[in-house]
């Protein structure tokens, strides 16, 4: 550990001038001129950024990458607090109302073409197929089973985030209705079997689909039958990133419980409150799940880079094509030793791509990504960034959250990670001082901290937590509401869910 500390000290010293230069560029807004550089341009499942533009400060494409280059790339995301932004992403299922089947690519293509013609978005194409659309820093993209994702623009306030969400949903719902399509904001498809989900015509998904069963049993469920809400947030230094990463990883199960709404699968109850979260436990142990070493001494940019280097690759993008290198090593790629493309050397764009194919509960790129929540309707979409912004963008709130989780043991954290998907707010867990409590009580404590953080921001954003507060105070998740309706109102028929306001 002393050696690691010394290496970090030397790196900070030798890169001080580079960091100052980047901060000057950031202050001029250059960090937002690309795509992977903004805290929103990622995808949950497919490892794809909105556009394929190399970073301004990438190394020369013909120069062999070194480990320090990869560390410097992530470190380049540090930016002063006045330039912190909020990047929100949310996915939704598209269903045909007539037969309650998932919308296929023909349906999705019609919707994407219409949003371009009616609302002046620009198409994103893969060969002859439209696979998304973009407008003013936002992008709509396709997940493997036709789930539609909005990756929002980097915004300053939650009011802007919610306005963006409302505008997007209005456009999408208006157009979809013309084609007999509706949307569901849930964490897991409540009706469709895995065999009946249509697959979108994106080459990277073919590679992932073939590789997933070699690493776990539920990878296809993640790809084709899950949806999430995520938020991407900034940090101003390595130390700030470490603090935020530890708090957010420790409290990710609280978000999972508050947003849990996926108790249904193939028309029946599945025994979980967040089956989406359960699925992630059996996708790929190399790239998914809980990262206990985040809480160990020595965690920082270097440690995350070493972790990412050990994660096997999915693909390499060259000349407009995705080349299958699933299971091969990025370290070998840096040396030009991939068997599929011998002699081809990794570029910084390849590193950016590789980072998007790693799926832990929190993900580090040039920002931190919160990944623990089920998909949801519009008021829950606004609530997710509010929850994390309140905790992480206010110094007092961050310190209070650190104090709350500081006495938790590895076993305490692991208990929450492993059991929250089933138990939700009823989970027995550690609270303040490590004392036994319930997830409901813990959620109330965390929401109090988050609300204080939002109030001190001074933008009048506290109201975005009201839906979560109601869930925590009642002690009943959305999943439990659905379980009650299924058993008592719908009498085992889930079709009413399509007209019950879940988007």
């Amino acid at each position: 550990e002393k050696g690691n500390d010394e290496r970090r000290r030397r790196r900070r010293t030798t890169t001080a001038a580079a960091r100052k230069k980047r901060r000057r560029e950031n202050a001029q807004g250059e960090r937002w001129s690309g795509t992977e550089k903004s805290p929103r341009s990622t995808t949950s499942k497919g490892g794809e950024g909105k556009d394929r533009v190399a970073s301004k400060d990438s190394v020369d494409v013909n120069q062999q990458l070194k480990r320090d280059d990869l560390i410097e790339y992530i470190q380049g995301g540090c930016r002063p607090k006045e330039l912190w932004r909020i990047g929100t992403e949310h996915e939704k299922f598209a269903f045909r109302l007539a037969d309650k089947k998932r919308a296929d690519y023909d349906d999705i293509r019609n919707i994407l073409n219409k949003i371009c013609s009616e609302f002046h978005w620009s198409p994103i194409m893969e060969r002859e197929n439209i696979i998304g659309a973009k407008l003013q820093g936002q992008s709509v993209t396709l997940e493997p089973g036709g789930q539609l994702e909005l990756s929002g623009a980097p915004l300053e306030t939650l009011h802007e985030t919610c306005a963006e969400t409302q505008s997007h949903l209005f456009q999408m719902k208006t157009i979809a209705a013309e084609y007999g399509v509706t949307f569901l904001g849930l964490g897991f498809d409540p009706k469709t079997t895995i065999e009946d989900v249509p697959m979108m015509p994106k080459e990277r998904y073919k590679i992932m689909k073939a590789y997933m069963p070699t690493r776990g049993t539920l990878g296809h469920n993640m790809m084709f039958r899950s949806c999430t809400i995520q938020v991407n947030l900034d940090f101003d230094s390595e130390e700030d990133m470490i603090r935020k990463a530890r708090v957010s990883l420790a409290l990710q199960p609280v978000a999972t419980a508050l947003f849990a709404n996926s108790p249904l699968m193939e028309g029946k109850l599945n025994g979980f409150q967040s089956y989406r979260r359960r699925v992630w436990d059996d996708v790929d142990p190399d790239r998914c799940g809980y990262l206990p070493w985040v809480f160990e001494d020595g965690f920082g940019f270097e440690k995350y880079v070493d972790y990412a280097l050990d994660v096997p690759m999915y693909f390499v993008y060259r000349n407009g094509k995705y080349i299958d290198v699933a299971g091969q090593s990025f370290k070998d790629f840096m040396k030009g030793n991939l068997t599929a493309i011998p002699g081809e050397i990794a570029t910084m764009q390849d590193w950016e791509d590789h980072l998007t194919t790693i799926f832990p509960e929190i993900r580090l790129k040039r920002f931190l990504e919160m990944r623990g929540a089920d998909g949801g309707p519009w008021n829950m979409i606004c609530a997710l960034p509010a929850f994390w912004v309140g905790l992480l963008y206010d110094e007092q709130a961050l310190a209070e959250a650190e104090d709350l989780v500081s006495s938790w043991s590895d076993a305490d954290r692991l208990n929450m990670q492993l059991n929250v998907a089933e138990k939700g707010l009823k989970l027995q867990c550690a609270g303040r001082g490590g004392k036994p409590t319930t997830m409901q009580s813990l959620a109330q404590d965390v929401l109090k901290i988050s609300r204080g953080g939002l109030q001190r921001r001074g933008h009048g954003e506290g109201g975005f937590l009201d839906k979560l507060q109601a869930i925590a105070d009642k002690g009943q998740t959305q999943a439990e509401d659905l379980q009650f309706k299924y058993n008592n109102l719908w009498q085992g028929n889930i079709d009413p869910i399509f007209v019950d306001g879940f988007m």
Side-chain angles (χ1 to χ4, degrees):
E1 293 303 337
K2 290 181 180 178
N4 289 338
D5 291 342
E6 177 62 19
R7 283 194 295 273
R8 278 197 297 276
R9 185 193 66 76
R10 288 200 300 268
R11 192 178 74 248
R12 291 182 188 123
T13 300
T14 57
T15 61
R19 288 204 311 274
K20 288 180 181 178
K21 179 177 184 293
R22 275 193 297 270
R23 282 177 180 260
R24 287 195 299 271
E25 292 176 346
N26 289 346
Q28 298 166 6
E30 292 188 11
R31 184 174 186 270
W32 304 102
S33 64
T35 56
E36 282 297 330
K37 292 187 268 185
S38 63
R40 56 123 197 102
S41 117
T42 178
T43 58
S44 305
K45 305 175 179 68
E48 171 195 20
K50 174 176 154 260
D51 296 310
R52 305 189 59 82
V53 181
S55 300
K56 183 180 178 65
D57 52 357
S58 294
V59 299
D60 187 280
V61 295
N62 296 315
Q63 177 182 333
Q64 184 171 336
L65 290 179
K66 299 179 178 63
R67 176 174 173 272
D68 282 350
D69 297 324
L70 310 182
I71 297 167
E72 284 295 300
Y73 168 78
I74 294 180
Q75 190 175 27
C78 297
R79 60 202 318 249
K81 185 173 182 178
E82 61 269 21
L83 294 178
W84 290 355
R85 296 294 183 266
I86 306 164
T88 306
E89 306 173 21
H90 43 95
E91 303 166 349
K92 50 199 164 291
F93 296 107
F95 282 86
R96 292 196 296 256
L97 274 171
D99 56 12
K100 309 299 189 296
K101 292 183 178 181
R102 290 276 288 276
D104 60 20
Y105 179 68
D106 288 340
D107 300 314
I108 300 298
R109 179 176 55 206
N110 290 336
I111 292 171
L112 289 175
N113 281 328
K114 194 70 177 287
I115 196 176
C116 291
S117 62
E118 291 290 317
F119 294 104
H120 311 295
W121 291 62
S122 299
I124 300 172
M125 306 297 294
E126 183 170 304
R127 298 179 184 175
E128 71 277 6
N129 295 316
I130 185 169
I131 59 169
K134 55 187 177 180
L135 175 70
Q136 297 174 349
Q138 308 167 74
S139 65
V140 176
T141 52
L142 285 181
E143 296 297 323
Q147 307 97 310
L148 285 158
E149 176 181 16
L150 176 72
S151 295
L155 302 171
E156 291 190 48
T157 73
L158 294 165
H159 297 287
E160 294 173 330
T161 294
C162 205
E164 175 189 72
T165 299
Q166 289 176 314
S167 174
H168 166 73
L169 292 179
F170 169 78
Q171 293 179 15
M172 296 299 290
K173 291 164 77 171
T174 299
I175 291 170
E178 297 179 20
Y179 297 102
V181 171
T182 191
F183 297 112
L184 282 186
L186 295 171
F188 198 81
D189 185 322
K191 187 177 180 71
T192 318
T193 65
I194 195 75
E195 294 79 15
D196 289 337
V197 178
M199 183 171 175
M200 298 299 104
K202 297 174 73 169
E203 289 301 316
R204 66 184 62 82
Y205 294 154
K206 295 179 182 178
I207 296 171
M208 293 174 64
K209 183 180 180 182
Y211 181 71
M212 287 277 181
T214 70
R215 304 301 301 132
T217 66
L218 297 177
H220 289 171
N221 282 279
M222 179 277 290
M223 290 181 66
F224 296 103
R225 297 203 288 180
S226 72
C227 281
T228 188
I229 310 167
Q230 298 175 183
V231 65
N232 306 317
L233 300 173
D234 286 308
F235 44 81
D236 67 11
S237 65
E238 184 173 41
E239 292 78 8
D240 186 44
M241 181 281 293
I242 292 169
R243 295 176 67 200
K244 289 173 175 173
R246 287 173 173 167
V247 164
S248 59
L249 184 55
L251 294 178
Q252 212 63 220
V254 179
T256 298
L258 287 170
F259 286 82
N261 71 2
S262 47
L264 296 166
M265 178 175 65
E266 298 179 12
K268 299 178 181 179
L269 296 174
N270 57 40
F272 290 84
Q273 295 195 36
S274 175
Y275 192 69
R276 180 206 61 85
R277 176 61 185 82
R278 162 67 187 100
V279 161
W280 279 109
D281 289 335
D282 195 5
V283 171
D284 184 340
D286 293 329
R287 72 185 72 243
C288 303
Y290 173 58
L291 306 177
W293 43 264
V294 166
F295 300 97
E296 298 175 358
D297 292 341
F299 171 64
F301 295 140
E302 288 188 42
K303 183 74 171 181
Y304 194 89
V305 164
D306 289 339
Y307 157 71
L309 283 171
D310 286 337
V311 174
M313 298 176 66
Y314 278 147
F315 57 77
V316 173
Y317 185 80
R318 289 292 185 273
N319 301 317
K321 297 181 179 180
Y322 288 86
I323 301 167
D324 187 348
V325 296
Q328 297 185 49
S329 165
F330 198 90
K331 293 177 182 177
D332 288 341
F333 190 19
M334 292 168 66
K335 300 172 184 176
N337 291 335
L338 290 187
T339 57
I341 43 174
E344 190 75 22
I345 296 175
T347 68
M348 192 61 78
Q349 179 66 65
D350 295 316
W351 177 240
E352 294 175 0
D353 287 347
H354 182 60
L355 289 175
T356 69
T357 67
I358 302 170
F359 309 126
E361 284 294 279
I362 61 165
R363 179 161 63 182
L364 174 62
K365 296 195 287 187
R366 291 185 140 184
F367 44 86
L368 278 170
E369 194 175 319
M370 309 294 117
R371 301 175 51 83
D374 281 4
W378 77 269
N379 57 350
M380 297 300 283
I381 295 171
C382 300
L384 191 276
F387 179 80
W388 289 113
V389 167
L391 290 172
L392 303 181
Y393 270 14
D394 174 75
E395 175 57 34
Q396 180 179 329
L398 180 57
E400 290 174 357
E402 285 179 309
D403 180 66
L404 176 63
V405 307
S406 62
S407 59
W408 293 355
S409 66
D410 290 341
D412 291 332
R413 292 187 291 264
L414 189 60
N415 168 55
M416 296 184 211
Q417 293 286 341
L418 293 179
N419 297 302
V420 70
E422 179 182 358
K423 302 295 185 181
L425 293 174
K426 304 296 191 295
L427 177 64
Q428 299 291 316
C429 62
R432 189 176 300 278
K435 296 179 180 178
T437 188
T438 64
M439 183 60 73
Q440 178 188 3
S441 179
L442 177 61
Q444 290 173 314
D445 288 343
V446 175
L447 285 169
K448 182 178 180 180
I449 296 172
S450 180
R451 190 177 294 274
L454 292 179
Q455 289 172 347
R456 285 184 292 274
R457 274 169 55 83
H459 299 302
E461 299 166 319
F464 293 114
L465 293 178
D466 287 351
K467 175 68 173 178
L468 298 183
Q469 193 71 57
I471 291 171
D473 289 346
K474 188 178 181 182
Q476 184 164 310
T477 63
Q478 298 172 96
E480 290 170 313
D481 290 341
L482 287 170
Q483 289 167 345
F484 177 84
K485 290 178 180 180
Y486 179 86
N487 288 323
N488 298 283
L489 301 179
W490 301 344
Q491 298 179 353
N493 175 15
I494 70 162
D495 284 353
I497 204 170
F498 293 98
V499 292
D500 205 32
F502 281 92
M503 186 46 80

